[in-house]
Amino acid sequence: AVAARSVTSMRAAESTLIARVNQIQDLRLALPADTRQRREVWDEVPSVAGLDEFASARVLADWVLSKLRPFEDGAGRFVGLAEELGVQFGIDVIVEPFDDDVIGAALLSREYPTIVVNATQRRQRSLFTLAHEFGHLLAGESSGVQVDRQVRAVSADERRANVFASELLLPRARVAELAAEL
């Protein structure tokens, strides 16, 4: 299963980024079963069953923030988050330029968790896309190819991923600190 984000309503079948994710999946499925690794940390992900997309996103973001080292501000923030996702969760983060409108995707497998980010987008959008796709992985989604068309979050899964990314990148406690400084 793959979750992807697109800035237009293009068909996923036409995306070179989705084709790349499918190639990665095919390669990983061809590997012997004993090379597949699943980190124990995935067993610790809090259950969000019964929670709406907003509450579940906040629970997941709070849990992740307790697991990750604080990441720096500025240009190194994307790299810092990508490295932490690899170290703590075993997530492969692939950043490549793709000549299409899909800006990111997650291979929704906890044995081989993978996030692909289109390198042609701006740094801030890349960071949000990385966090958004991580939200899909944490939520345990597993149904087919899902494409978030037009980045508007029409479905509950997409809203949860957006809220998760927002909460992860700018936690409520930090928002309160900034508001207090005003």
Side-chain angles (χ1 to χ4, degrees):
V2 175
R5 300 187 82 208
S6 174
V7 294
T8 69
S9 59
M10 74 176 293
R11 292 184 3 211
E14 299 170 356
S15 168
T16 55
L17 189 147
I18 298 296
R20 177 78 164 115
V21 170
N22 287 330
Q23 290 170 343
I24 293 166
Q25 173 68 353
D26 290 345
L27 173 64
R28 291 183 169 171
L29 289 174
L31 293 173
D34 63 347
T35 63
R36 297 179 187 177
Q37 296 179 0
R38 188 169 182 276
R39 300 251 173 133
E40 291 78 26
V41 70
W42 291 108
D43 296 329
E44 300 172 17
V45 176
S47 172
V48 293
L51 298 177
D52 69 22
E53 61 268 28
F54 302 101
S56 61
R58 289 182 181 115
V59 166
L60 293 171
D62 288 344
W63 179 76
V64 167
L65 288 167
S66 76
K67 295 284 182 196
L68 299 181
R69 293 179 308 181
F71 21 87
E72 64 184 88
D73 289 332
R77 197 165 187 205
F78 179 91
V79 171
L81 178 57
E83 287 175 352
E84 279 294 290
L85 295 182
V87 169
Q88 297 296 329
F89 295 91
I91 298 173
D92 291 326
V93 177
I94 299 168
V95 182
E96 294 180 11
F98 294 95
D99 190 25
D100 64 37
D101 292 331
V102 175
I103 58 176
L107 180 56
L108 302 175
S109 162
R110 289 184 173 177
E111 290 177 328
Y112 289 127
T114 304
I115 296 173
V116 180
V117 176
N118 191 334
T120 62
Q121 59 190 315
R122 292 178 187 215
R123 184 178 342 138
Q124 295 87 349
R125 181 176 263 178
S126 295
L127 179 62
F128 192 86
T129 297
L130 176 61
H132 172 98
E133 298 303 337
F134 181 38
H136 283 298
L137 282 166
L138 283 172
E141 298 171 23
S142 61
S143 60
V145 175
Q146 304 171 2
V147 178
D148 178 13
R149 302 178 202 292
Q150 301 176 348
V151 196
R152 288 195 344 224
V154 176
S155 73
D157 288 344
E158 294 303 326
R159 283 191 299 275
R160 179 180 46 242
N162 280 345
V163 172
F164 170 81
S166 298
E167 294 279 338
L168 179 66
L169 298 174
L170 190 56
R172 283 168 280 142
R174 181 68 179 130
V175 171
E177 289 173 14
L178 293 171
E181 292 175 7
L182 295 178

